[in-house]
């Protein structure tokens, strides 16, 4: 099985919003609004618990795991 989720993030020194893009077979099912995306929610929750602030981020999500396959 060669199916997996790939994340590539680029942190930016300047303040700004998070920008998300998604590719792969299930890309249309990945929320691209940071407040709706589970990856972003976990990052923000973790940062809050650690008392740190996060800089702007561009996050590229590649998901080759088919939805409904029982692999996620």
């Amino acid at each position: 099985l060669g199916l997996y989720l790939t994340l590539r993030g680029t942190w930016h020194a300047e303040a700004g919003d998070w920008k998300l893009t998604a590719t792969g077979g299930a890309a249309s099912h990945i929320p691209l609004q940071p407040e709706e995306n589970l990856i972003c929610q976990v990052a923000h929750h973790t940062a809050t618990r650690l008392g740190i602030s996060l800089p702007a981020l561009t996050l590229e999500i590649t998901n080759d795991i088919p939805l409904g396959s029982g692999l996620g």
Side-chain angles (χ1 to χ4, degrees):
L1 257 151
L3 302 174
Y4 54 90
L5 177 71
T6 302
L7 297 174
R8 177 175 309 182
T10 304
W11 296 103
H12 302 280
E14 69 279 353
D17 295 330
W18 284 28
K19 297 178 183 80
L20 282 72
T21 60
T23 58
S28 63
H29 299 284
I30 297 173
L32 298 179
Q33 298 301 320
E35 55 279 349
E36 297 175 8
N37 186 283
L38 186 58
I39 296 167
C40 295
Q41 291 174 6
V42 169
H44 283 288
H45 176 76
T46 302
T48 299
R49 290 200 39 121
L50 294 174
I52 60 174
S53 61
L54 297 174
L57 171 72
T58 299
L59 184 64
E60 301 170 20
I61 303 166
T62 303
N63 184 4
D64 291 323
I65 301 172
L67 292 179
S69 65
L71 297 173

